[in-house]
Amino acid sequence: MEQKELHKPNVSRFALFLAFSRISLSSFGGAIFWARRELVERQRWITEREFIEMFTLGQLLPGPNVLNLTVMFGYRFAGWTGAAASVAGFLGWPCLVVVGMGVLYQHYGALPQVQQALTGMSSVAAGLLLATVVKLAMVLPRHWRPWLFGALAFVGVGVMRWPLLWVMGALAPWAVFAAWKEQE
Amino acid sequence: MDRLDLGGLFLHFLILWFLAIGGPATIFPDIHRYVVDVHHLLTNTQFAEIYTLAQVAPGPNAMYVTLIGWHLAGWQGVAATTIPLLVPATTLTLLVGHLNERYPNAPIGQAIRRGLTPITIGLVFASSTILMRAVNHDWRGYLITLLTVAVVLRKSWNPLWLFAGGALAGILGFV
């Protein structure tokens, strides 16, 4: 494993903390764009290819995608404490900002102007989610099976409002098994 | 409003984050079900507003859970909703990252990805419809939502501009 990682510059924990703080504080509407810019272009700590592989793996795993990348990245360059330093940078600041927003919301959330602005912004937020669905669905194969699984997940969780644990427990093994058989 | 059970909230979020393959939008429907429908801790509108506020903040989109925690119980609430999102990342991610460097082309990984992608899409679609029903009271709200979709699919503008447009439309009394 040591021979495989040829490109592995020496990165201090503090540098990791700073880099992920910068990523986190500049990322509005998704952190992946800024993570690539900082880690690949600015610091040149990893190559484009390594970055994409790490991100894909992060997407496969549960939890916020870029957080998974953050953990793997920090661990790879500076072990456990490196992972901790990266996560502290990545989540610490947004946590404080969000709490600040929470304080403002509790004080001013009931003002009519704030209410109106929030309503308009919420309609936009719903549109952003819907657009994500459209973009993601474009990469689905033109075959009935993936669309059936997608539809069942939507109906179970979005229409019937069943608990996610039941729906995933019923659908996920079946879906993975079907994809596995298809591969053979 | 039910009495707040922080331990229960913590456990529920912990289970959810292990199911959140495909990111924080996939567990949005179940968080909404738990917080709004089952325990009545927030109203439908409050939930939508808190989610939206967190989308305007810097950082990962997942921070809406932190804001929910803050709104419900201050710093203790922040801990109850935010620590769970770290657990899969610090256990499973490190384990799989390790295994992946050893076995880079395992076919089971490909089957999991191919099998779960459509489910993720269905769940994000569910999130968007739940949010739409919570915030859009008439055709004008839906128009803003559809305009947003159209813009996002054609342009690569920073979403903050769209939020600014939505806020302006709201203040001017359009929605």
Side-chain angles (χ1 to χ4, degrees), chain B:
Chain B
M1 186 167 160
D2 291 9
R3 205 177 61 81
L4 178 60
D5 170 14
L6 275 181
L9 195 68
F10 177 84
L11 270 182
H12 191 78
F13 275 64
L14 188 62
I15 294 169
L16 284 186
W17 279 112
F18 274 100
L19 300 175
I21 300 170
T26 54
I27 59 170
F28 176 94
D30 205 72
I31 292 178
H32 179 273
R33 185 186 67 84
Y34 187 88
V35 174
V36 177
D37 296 343
V38 179
H39 291 285
H40 312 290
L41 300 170
L42 294 173
T43 67
N44 211 357
T45 312
Q46 281 176 323
F47 188 87
E49 288 176 354
I50 285 175
Y51 172 80
T52 302
L53 270 180
Q55 302 309 297
V56 197
N61 296 336
M63 300 310 284
Y64 72 90
V65 299
T66 306
L67 194 45
I68 290 175
W70 172 260
H71 195 80
L72 293 179
W75 288 109
Q76 288 182 327
V78 169
T81 55
T82 311
I83 291 171
L85 83 87
L86 283 165
V87 176
T90 46
T91 54
L92 217 60
T93 303
L94 285 180
L95 182 72
V96 173
H98 198 74
L99 288 177
N100 190 59
E101 287 190 20
R102 276 197 163 166
Y103 316 100
N105 298 314
I108 185 69
Q110 292 173 25
I112 292 175
R113 178 170 52 222
R114 291 240 315 263
L116 294 187
T117 302
I119 296 181
T120 299
I121 297 173
L123 293 175
V124 181
F125 186 42
S127 306
S128 63
T129 58
I130 290 165
L131 193 58
M132 273 192 278
R133 270 178 283 162
V135 296
N136 294 342
H137 307 300
D138 58 18
W139 64 270
R140 287 177 295 191
Y142 283 98
L143 182 66
I144 291 185
T145 300
L146 288 178
L147 275 176
T148 306
V149 175
V151 169
V152 171
L153 292 181
R154 282 181 176 77
K155 311 273 181 199
S156 53
W157 295 347
N158 189 319
L160 279 188
W161 292 112
L162 301 173
F163 279 117
L168 197 65
I171 292 170
L172 295 178
F174 182 73
V175 282

Side-chain angles (χ1 to χ4, degrees), chain A residues 142-164:
Chain A
R142 301 280 175 268
H143 184 269
W144 61 270
R145 200 187 287 122
W147 292 85
L148 174 68
F149 281 119
L152 287 176
F154 167 71
V155 171
V157 169
V159 180
M160 306 310 293
R161 304 310 311 273
W162 288 328
L164 181 64

Side-chain angles (χ1 to χ4, degrees), chain A residues 11-24:
Chain A
V11 180
S12 76
R13 289 162 185 87
F14 189 62
L16 285 169
F17 174 78
L18 283 184
F20 279 98
S21 298
R22 200 150 40 220
I23 292 170
S24 160

